[in-house]
Amino acid sequence: MGRKAGVSAAQTRSELVTAAARVFARKGYDGATIADITSEAGLSSGAIYAHFGSKAELFVAVIRDGAERDFSEAAGFGRVGFASAAERVIGDLGELVTAIGSEYDRTRPEEASLLIEAVVAAKRDPEVAVLVRDWLHEVEILFGALVAKAQSDGTADPAIGPAAASR
């Protein structure tokens, strides 16, 4: 289970995140092991540590990638990534919120369980807590910029502070 021939580092990372998502959904953060994830991915533990510093970093990558994918797809951009999708909709905050809201009830059960698992894991593991907090702070800043832009364009109520709206 070493490195796969002809596979790029980005593809290996993607395979690891996909495999880890399945394992974390089945076993939870505490129950999942690096061995479980490498077995699921058909890779060695070296592949994990080449891309992630710890199980916690891999877990937060799973949460982040899932959220970014959902955000980009809800915004109508496919898999372009969170920041790219946000940049594209910076003037269409109302449309973005409507698109995300219309998809909210279609969250796949395994993804919903991962979000719950993130909250539980963050309570138990300080490293997960810091990584999740930092990621949510990045998202909050990005949404604050979207709100501020919408306010300057006159498409959002200026009475609401961008930081409060994004939080």
PDB file of all heavy atoms in Angstrom, residues 6-40:
ATOM      1  N   GLY A   6       1.567   7.102 -11.070  1.00  0.00           N
ATOM      2  CA  GLY A   6       0.832   7.952 -11.989  1.00  0.00           C
ATOM      3  C   GLY A   6      -0.249   8.808 -11.355  1.00  0.00           C
ATOM      4  O   GLY A   6      -1.067   9.394 -12.048  1.00  0.00           O
ATOM      5  N   VAL A   7      -0.262   8.885 -10.035  1.00  0.00           N
ATOM      6  CA  VAL A   7      -1.279   9.669  -9.333  1.00  0.00           C
ATOM      7  C   VAL A   7      -0.608  10.905  -8.744  1.00  0.00           C
ATOM      8  O   VAL A   7       0.413  10.805  -8.065  1.00  0.00           O
ATOM      9  CB  VAL A   7      -1.950   8.827  -8.218  1.00  0.00           C
ATOM     10  CG1 VAL A   7      -2.945   9.655  -7.440  1.00  0.00           C
ATOM     11  CG2 VAL A   7      -2.631   7.605  -8.811  1.00  0.00           C
ATOM     12  N   SER A   8      -1.198  12.065  -9.005  1.00  0.00           N
ATOM     13  CA  SER A   8      -0.619  13.311  -8.504  1.00  0.00           C
ATOM     14  C   SER A   8      -0.847  13.454  -7.002  1.00  0.00           C
ATOM     15  O   SER A   8      -1.690  12.774  -6.414  1.00  0.00           O
ATOM     16  CB  SER A   8      -1.242  14.512  -9.220  1.00  0.00           C
ATOM     17  OG  SER A   8      -2.582  14.683  -8.800  1.00  0.00           O
ATOM     18  N   ALA A   9      -0.111  14.371  -6.412  1.00  0.00           N
ATOM     19  CA  ALA A   9      -0.279  14.646  -4.981  1.00  0.00           C
ATOM     20  C   ALA A   9      -1.695  15.125  -4.697  1.00  0.00           C
ATOM     21  O   ALA A   9      -2.296  14.733  -3.690  1.00  0.00           O
ATOM     22  CB  ALA A   9       0.745  15.685  -4.520  1.00  0.00           C
ATOM     23  N   ALA A  10      -2.249  15.942  -5.580  1.00  0.00           N
ATOM     24  CA  ALA A  10      -3.627  16.437  -5.389  1.00  0.00           C
ATOM     25  C   ALA A  10      -4.637  15.293  -5.446  1.00  0.00           C
ATOM     26  O   ALA A  10      -5.592  15.263  -4.666  1.00  0.00           O
ATOM     27  CB  ALA A  10      -3.958  17.494  -6.433  1.00  0.00           C
ATOM     28  N   GLN A  11      -4.424  14.351  -6.355  1.00  0.00           N
ATOM     29  CA  GLN A  11      -5.319  13.199  -6.448  1.00  0.00           C
ATOM     30  C   GLN A  11      -5.203  12.325  -5.200  1.00  0.00           C
ATOM     31  O   GLN A  11      -6.215  11.831  -4.687  1.00  0.00           O
ATOM     32  CB  GLN A  11      -5.012  12.372  -7.691  1.00  0.00           C
ATOM     33  CG  GLN A  11      -5.403  13.055  -8.988  1.00  0.00           C
ATOM     34  CD  GLN A  11      -4.844  12.319 -10.195  1.00  0.00           C
ATOM     35  OE1 GLN A  11      -3.665  11.959 -10.236  1.00  0.00           O
ATOM     36  NE2 GLN A  11      -5.701  12.101 -11.186  1.00  0.00           N
ATOM     37  N   THR A  12      -3.982  12.143  -4.722  1.00  0.00           N
ATOM     38  CA  THR A  12      -3.785  11.349  -3.506  1.00  0.00           C
ATOM     39  C   THR A  12      -4.479  12.016  -2.328  1.00  0.00           C
ATOM     40  O   THR A  12      -5.185  11.358  -1.550  1.00  0.00           O
ATOM     41  CB  THR A  12      -2.278  11.176  -3.208  1.00  0.00           C
ATOM     42  OG1 THR A  12      -1.677  10.479  -4.301  1.00  0.00           O
ATOM     43  CG2 THR A  12      -2.050  10.408  -1.918  1.00  0.00           C
ATOM     44  N   ARG A  13      -4.324  13.319  -2.197  1.00  0.00           N
ATOM     45  CA  ARG A  13      -4.989  14.048  -1.119  1.00  0.00           C
ATOM     46  C   ARG A  13      -6.499  13.879  -1.217  1.00  0.00           C
ATOM     47  O   ARG A  13      -7.169  13.615  -0.227  1.00  0.00           O
ATOM     48  CB  ARG A  13      -4.624  15.538  -1.170  1.00  0.00           C
ATOM     49  CG  ARG A  13      -5.247  16.320  -0.028  1.00  0.00           C
ATOM     50  CD  ARG A  13      -5.143  17.835  -0.228  1.00  0.00           C
ATOM     51  NE  ARG A  13      -5.679  18.565   0.894  1.00  0.00           N
ATOM     52  CZ  ARG A  13      -6.974  18.740   1.135  1.00  0.00           C
ATOM     53  NH1 ARG A  13      -7.886  18.221   0.341  1.00  0.00           N
ATOM     54  NH2 ARG A  13      -7.367  19.430   2.185  1.00  0.00           N
ATOM     55  N   SER A  14      -7.036  14.008  -2.409  1.00  0.00           N
ATOM     56  CA  SER A  14      -8.471  13.860  -2.619  1.00  0.00           C
ATOM     57  C   SER A  14      -8.939  12.450  -2.241  1.00  0.00           C
ATOM     58  O   SER A  14      -9.978  12.290  -1.591  1.00  0.00           O
ATOM     59  CB  SER A  14      -8.821  14.165  -4.073  1.00  0.00           C
ATOM     60  OG  SER A  14     -10.193  14.006  -4.293  1.00  0.00           O
ATOM     61  N   GLU A  15      -8.185  11.446  -2.623  1.00  0.00           N
ATOM     62  CA  GLU A  15      -8.523  10.063  -2.263  1.00  0.00           C
ATOM     63  C   GLU A  15      -8.500   9.866  -0.748  1.00  0.00           C
ATOM     64  O   GLU A  15      -9.356   9.176  -0.192  1.00  0.00           O
ATOM     65  CB  GLU A  15      -7.563   9.084  -2.935  1.00  0.00           C
ATOM     66  CG  GLU A  15      -7.774   8.943  -4.424  1.00  0.00           C
ATOM     67  CD  GLU A  15      -6.781   7.997  -5.072  1.00  0.00           C
ATOM     68  OE1 GLU A  15      -6.209   7.126  -4.369  1.00  0.00           O
ATOM     69  OE2 GLU A  15      -6.569   8.121  -6.294  1.00  0.00           O
ATOM     70  N   LEU A  16      -7.507  10.460  -0.099  1.00  0.00           N
ATOM     71  CA  LEU A  16      -7.424  10.354   1.359  1.00  0.00           C
ATOM     72  C   LEU A  16      -8.625  11.014   2.028  1.00  0.00           C
ATOM     73  O   LEU A  16      -9.212  10.449   2.962  1.00  0.00           O
ATOM     74  CB  LEU A  16      -6.130  10.991   1.872  1.00  0.00           C
ATOM     75  CG  LEU A  16      -4.853  10.204   1.620  1.00  0.00           C
ATOM     76  CD1 LEU A  16      -3.633  11.070   1.896  1.00  0.00           C
ATOM     77  CD2 LEU A  16      -4.826   8.944   2.474  1.00  0.00           C
ATOM     78  N   VAL A  17      -8.988  12.197   1.573  1.00  0.00           N
ATOM     79  CA  VAL A  17     -10.125  12.914   2.163  1.00  0.00           C
ATOM     80  C   VAL A  17     -11.414  12.133   1.940  1.00  0.00           C
ATOM     81  O   VAL A  17     -12.236  11.991   2.856  1.00  0.00           O
ATOM     82  CB  VAL A  17     -10.214  14.361   1.616  1.00  0.00           C
ATOM     83  CG1 VAL A  17     -11.512  15.025   2.023  1.00  0.00           C
ATOM     84  CG2 VAL A  17      -9.019  15.175   2.107  1.00  0.00           C
ATOM     85  N   THR A  18     -11.596  11.594   0.744  1.00  0.00           N
ATOM     86  CA  THR A  18     -12.800  10.810   0.441  1.00  0.00           C
ATOM     87  C   THR A  18     -12.868   9.552   1.307  1.00  0.00           C
ATOM     88  O   THR A  18     -13.908   9.242   1.892  1.00  0.00           O
ATOM     89  CB  THR A  18     -12.826  10.439  -1.053  1.00  0.00           C
ATOM     90  OG1 THR A  18     -12.845  11.650  -1.818  1.00  0.00           O
ATOM     91  CG2 THR A  18     -14.036   9.593  -1.395  1.00  0.00           C
ATOM     92  N   ALA A  19     -11.750   8.846   1.405  1.00  0.00           N
ATOM     93  CA  ALA A  19     -11.702   7.633   2.239  1.00  0.00           C
ATOM     94  C   ALA A  19     -11.924   7.984   3.708  1.00  0.00           C
ATOM     95  O   ALA A  19     -12.674   7.301   4.415  1.00  0.00           O
ATOM     96  CB  ALA A  19     -10.373   6.914   2.057  1.00  0.00           C
ATOM     97  N   ALA A  20     -11.291   9.049   4.158  1.00  0.00           N
ATOM     98  CA  ALA A  20     -11.436   9.466   5.562  1.00  0.00           C
ATOM     99  C   ALA A  20     -12.883   9.849   5.856  1.00  0.00           C
ATOM    100  O   ALA A  20     -13.396   9.527   6.932  1.00  0.00           O
ATOM    101  CB  ALA A  20     -10.498  10.627   5.871  1.00  0.00           C
ATOM    102  N   ALA A  21     -13.550  10.510   4.926  1.00  0.00           N
ATOM    103  CA  ALA A  21     -14.951  10.884   5.130  1.00  0.00           C
ATOM    104  C   ALA A  21     -15.806   9.644   5.363  1.00  0.00           C
ATOM    105  O   ALA A  21     -16.660   9.626   6.264  1.00  0.00           O
ATOM    106  CB  ALA A  21     -15.479  11.683   3.934  1.00  0.00           C
ATOM    107  N   ARG A  22     -15.571   8.608   4.581  1.00  0.00           N
ATOM    108  CA  ARG A  22     -16.337   7.359   4.760  1.00  0.00           C
ATOM    109  C   ARG A  22     -16.051   6.729   6.120  1.00  0.00           C
ATOM    110  O   ARG A  22     -16.961   6.293   6.823  1.00  0.00           O
ATOM    111  CB  ARG A  22     -16.021   6.381   3.631  1.00  0.00           C
ATOM    112  CG  ARG A  22     -16.603   6.785   2.289  1.00  0.00           C
ATOM    113  CD  ARG A  22     -16.502   5.655   1.265  1.00  0.00           C
ATOM    114  NE  ARG A  22     -15.138   5.244   0.994  1.00  0.00           N
ATOM    115  CZ  ARG A  22     -14.412   5.673  -0.039  1.00  0.00           C
ATOM    116  NH1 ARG A  22     -14.901   6.544  -0.886  1.00  0.00           N
ATOM    117  NH2 ARG A  22     -13.190   5.224  -0.214  1.00  0.00           N
ATOM    118  N   VAL A  23     -14.773   6.701   6.490  1.00  0.00           N
ATOM    119  CA  VAL A  23     -14.395   6.077   7.765  1.00  0.00           C
ATOM    120  C   VAL A  23     -14.919   6.893   8.946  1.00  0.00           C
ATOM    121  O   VAL A  23     -15.495   6.339   9.890  1.00  0.00           O
ATOM    122  CB  VAL A  23     -12.860   5.885   7.857  1.00  0.00           C
ATOM    123  CG1 VAL A  23     -12.452   5.407   9.248  1.00  0.00           C
ATOM    124  CG2 VAL A  23     -12.387   4.898   6.788  1.00  0.00           C
ATOM    125  N   PHE A  24     -14.756   8.216   8.914  1.00  0.00           N
ATOM    126  CA  PHE A  24     -15.253   9.058  10.003  1.00  0.00           C
ATOM    127  C   PHE A  24     -16.781   8.967  10.108  1.00  0.00           C
ATOM    128  O   PHE A  24     -17.317   8.969  11.211  1.00  0.00           O
ATOM    129  CB  PHE A  24     -14.833  10.516   9.818  1.00  0.00           C
ATOM    130  CG  PHE A  24     -13.366  10.777  10.070  1.00  0.00           C
ATOM    131  CD1 PHE A  24     -12.613  11.492   9.156  1.00  0.00           C
ATOM    132  CD2 PHE A  24     -12.745  10.329  11.234  1.00  0.00           C
ATOM    133  CE1 PHE A  24     -11.269  11.757   9.385  1.00  0.00           C
ATOM    134  CE2 PHE A  24     -11.396  10.586  11.483  1.00  0.00           C
ATOM    135  CZ  PHE A  24     -10.661  11.302  10.548  1.00  0.00           C
ATOM    136  N   ALA A  25     -17.476   8.869   8.971  1.00  0.00           N
ATOM    137  CA  ALA A  25     -18.936   8.750   9.001  1.00  0.00           C
ATOM    138  C   ALA A  25     -19.361   7.425   9.644  1.00  0.00           C
ATOM    139  O   ALA A  25     -20.351   7.374  10.373  1.00  0.00           O
ATOM    140  CB  ALA A  25     -19.515   8.868   7.587  1.00  0.00           C
ATOM    141  N   ARG A  26     -18.607   6.366   9.389  1.00  0.00           N
ATOM    142  CA  ARG A  26     -18.932   5.044   9.959  1.00  0.00           C
ATOM    143  C   ARG A  26     -18.541   4.914  11.420  1.00  0.00           C
ATOM    144  O   ARG A  26     -19.285   4.364  12.223  1.00  0.00           O
ATOM    145  CB  ARG A  26     -18.200   3.944   9.181  1.00  0.00           C
ATOM    146  CG  ARG A  26     -18.875   3.437   7.969  1.00  0.00           C
ATOM    147  CD  ARG A  26     -18.276   2.106   7.473  1.00  0.00           C
ATOM    148  NE  ARG A  26     -16.840   1.999   7.497  1.00  0.00           N
ATOM    149  CZ  ARG A  26     -16.028   2.262   6.471  1.00  0.00           C
ATOM    150  NH1 ARG A  26     -16.518   2.656   5.325  1.00  0.00           N
ATOM    151  NH2 ARG A  26     -14.726   2.116   6.595  1.00  0.00           N
ATOM    152  N   LYS A  27     -17.342   5.400  11.758  1.00  0.00           N
ATOM    153  CA  LYS A  27     -16.773   5.113  13.076  1.00  0.00           C
ATOM    154  C   LYS A  27     -16.689   6.318  14.001  1.00  0.00           C
ATOM    155  O   LYS A  27     -16.353   6.162  15.172  1.00  0.00           O
ATOM    156  CB  LYS A  27     -15.366   4.525  12.911  1.00  0.00           C
ATOM    157  CG  LYS A  27     -15.361   3.184  12.214  1.00  0.00           C
ATOM    158  CD  LYS A  27     -13.981   2.591  12.236  1.00  0.00           C
ATOM    159  CE  LYS A  27     -14.039   1.149  11.795  1.00  0.00           C
ATOM    160  NZ  LYS A  27     -12.842   0.430  12.166  1.00  0.00           N
ATOM    161  N   GLY A  28     -16.937   7.509  13.488  1.00  0.00           N
ATOM    162  CA  GLY A  28     -16.755   8.712  14.291  1.00  0.00           C
ATOM    163  C   GLY A  28     -15.279   9.067  14.367  1.00  0.00           C
ATOM    164  O   GLY A  28     -14.404   8.280  13.986  1.00  0.00           O
ATOM    165  N   TYR A  29     -15.015  10.259  14.872  1.00  0.00           N
ATOM    166  CA  TYR A  29     -13.629  10.725  14.955  1.00  0.00           C
ATOM    167  C   TYR A  29     -12.817   9.854  15.909  1.00  0.00           C
ATOM    168  O   TYR A  29     -11.723   9.390  15.575  1.00  0.00           O
ATOM    169  CB  TYR A  29     -13.581  12.189  15.403  1.00  0.00           C
ATOM    170  CG  TYR A  29     -12.175  12.694  15.612  1.00  0.00           C
ATOM    171  CD1 TYR A  29     -11.372  12.987  14.522  1.00  0.00           C
ATOM    172  CD2 TYR A  29     -11.654  12.857  16.888  1.00  0.00           C
ATOM    173  CE1 TYR A  29     -10.068  13.435  14.703  1.00  0.00           C
ATOM    174  CE2 TYR A  29     -10.359  13.305  17.074  1.00  0.00           C
ATOM    175  CZ  TYR A  29      -9.573  13.593  15.982  1.00  0.00           C
ATOM    176  OH  TYR A  29      -8.286  14.027  16.163  1.00  0.00           O
ATOM    177  N   ASP A  30     -13.354   9.621  17.103  1.00  0.00           N
ATOM    178  CA  ASP A  30     -12.601   8.855  18.097  1.00  0.00           C
ATOM    179  C   ASP A  30     -12.401   7.403  17.684  1.00  0.00           C
ATOM    180  O   ASP A  30     -11.356   6.814  17.973  1.00  0.00           O
ATOM    181  CB  ASP A  30     -13.305   8.918  19.459  1.00  0.00           C
ATOM    182  CG  ASP A  30     -13.217  10.291  20.091  1.00  0.00           C
ATOM    183  OD1 ASP A  30     -12.251  11.026  19.809  1.00  0.00           O
ATOM    184  OD2 ASP A  30     -14.133  10.642  20.865  1.00  0.00           O
ATOM    185  N   GLY A  31     -13.383   6.819  16.995  1.00  0.00           N
ATOM    186  CA  GLY A  31     -13.306   5.408  16.611  1.00  0.00           C
ATOM    187  C   GLY A  31     -12.452   5.143  15.383  1.00  0.00           C
ATOM    188  O   GLY A  31     -11.978   4.028  15.175  1.00  0.00           O
ATOM    189  N   ALA A  32     -12.275   6.157  14.555  1.00  0.00           N
ATOM    190  CA  ALA A  32     -11.496   5.995  13.324  1.00  0.00           C
ATOM    191  C   ALA A  32     -10.006   5.993  13.637  1.00  0.00           C
ATOM    192  O   ALA A  32      -9.536   6.752  14.483  1.00  0.00           O
ATOM    193  CB  ALA A  32     -11.817   7.125  12.355  1.00  0.00           C
ATOM    194  N   THR A  33      -9.284   5.156  12.945  1.00  0.00           N
ATOM    195  CA  THR A  33      -7.826   5.127  13.098  1.00  0.00           C
ATOM    196  C   THR A  33      -7.168   5.444  11.759  1.00  0.00           C
ATOM    197  O   THR A  33      -7.799   5.314  10.701  1.00  0.00           O
ATOM    198  CB  THR A  33      -7.328   3.745  13.573  1.00  0.00           C
ATOM    199  OG1 THR A  33      -7.591   2.783  12.529  1.00  0.00           O
ATOM    200  CG2 THR A  33      -8.001   3.308  14.868  1.00  0.00           C
ATOM    201  N   ILE A  34      -5.928   5.828  11.834  1.00  0.00           N
ATOM    202  CA  ILE A  34      -5.156   6.069  10.614  1.00  0.00           C
ATOM    203  C   ILE A  34      -5.116   4.783   9.790  1.00  0.00           C
ATOM    204  O   ILE A  34      -5.242   4.812   8.571  1.00  0.00           O
ATOM    205  CB  ILE A  34      -3.735   6.582  10.943  1.00  0.00           C
ATOM    206  CG1 ILE A  34      -3.807   7.955  11.620  1.00  0.00           C
ATOM    207  CG2 ILE A  34      -2.852   6.607   9.704  1.00  0.00           C
ATOM    208  CD1 ILE A  34      -4.404   9.064  10.775  1.00  0.00           C
ATOM    209  N   ALA A  35      -4.974   3.634  10.448  1.00  0.00           N
ATOM    210  CA  ALA A  35      -4.949   2.352   9.735  1.00  0.00           C
ATOM    211  C   ALA A  35      -6.260   2.110   8.994  1.00  0.00           C
ATOM    212  O   ALA A  35      -6.252   1.606   7.866  1.00  0.00           O
ATOM    213  CB  ALA A  35      -4.663   1.212  10.714  1.00  0.00           C
ATOM    214  N   ASP A  36      -7.392   2.463   9.623  1.00  0.00           N
ATOM    215  CA  ASP A  36      -8.691   2.321   8.954  1.00  0.00           C
ATOM    216  C   ASP A  36      -8.741   3.160   7.680  1.00  0.00           C
ATOM    217  O   ASP A  36      -9.218   2.718   6.635  1.00  0.00           O
ATOM    218  CB  ASP A  36      -9.841   2.791   9.860  1.00  0.00           C
ATOM    219  CG  ASP A  36     -10.046   1.945  11.096  1.00  0.00           C
ATOM    220  OD1 ASP A  36      -9.739   0.734  11.064  1.00  0.00           O
ATOM    221  OD2 ASP A  36     -10.527   2.510  12.104  1.00  0.00           O
ATOM    222  N   ILE A  37      -8.250   4.376   7.788  1.00  0.00           N
ATOM    223  CA  ILE A  37      -8.311   5.313   6.662  1.00  0.00           C
ATOM    224  C   ILE A  37      -7.370   4.871   5.543  1.00  0.00           C
ATOM    225  O   ILE A  37      -7.750   4.877   4.367  1.00  0.00           O
ATOM    226  CB  ILE A  37      -8.003   6.748   7.135  1.00  0.00           C
ATOM    227  CG1 ILE A  37      -9.100   7.204   8.108  1.00  0.00           C
ATOM    228  CG2 ILE A  37      -7.876   7.705   5.946  1.00  0.00           C
ATOM    229  CD1 ILE A  37      -8.753   8.425   8.929  1.00  0.00           C
ATOM    230  N   THR A  38      -6.156   4.461   5.895  1.00  0.00           N
ATOM    231  CA  THR A  38      -5.218   4.021   4.859  1.00  0.00           C
ATOM    232  C   THR A  38      -5.732   2.756   4.178  1.00  0.00           C
ATOM    233  O   THR A  38      -5.585   2.612   2.971  1.00  0.00           O
ATOM    234  CB  THR A  38      -3.804   3.787   5.427  1.00  0.00           C
ATOM    235  OG1 THR A  38      -3.867   2.844   6.483  1.00  0.00           O
ATOM    236  CG2 THR A  38      -3.188   5.085   5.902  1.00  0.00           C
ATOM    237  N   SER A  39      -6.341   1.875   4.934  1.00  0.00           N
ATOM    238  CA  SER A  39      -6.913   0.667   4.350  1.00  0.00           C
ATOM    239  C   SER A  39      -8.036   1.024   3.380  1.00  0.00           C
ATOM    240  O   SER A  39      -8.116   0.483   2.272  1.00  0.00           O
ATOM    241  CB  SER A  39      -7.433  -0.247   5.461  1.00  0.00           C
ATOM    242  OG  SER A  39      -8.047  -1.388   4.913  1.00  0.00           O
ATOM    243  N   GLU A  40      -8.895   1.921   3.779  1.00  0.00           N
ATOM    244  CA  GLU A  40     -10.011   2.369   2.933  1.00  0.00           C
ATOM    245  C   GLU A  40      -9.496   3.013   1.652  1.00  0.00           C
ATOM    246  O   GLU A  40     -10.058   2.828   0.576  1.00  0.00           O
ATOM    247  CB  GLU A  40     -10.875   3.362   3.710  1.00  0.00           C
ATOM    248  CG  GLU A  40     -12.086   3.854   2.976  1.00  0.00           C
ATOM    249  CD  GLU A  40     -13.291   2.936   3.073  1.00  0.00           C
ATOM    250  OE1 GLU A  40     -13.350   2.086   3.978  1.00  0.00           O
ATOM    251  OE2 GLU A  40     -14.182   3.077   2.226  1.00  0.00           O
TER     252      GLU A  40
END
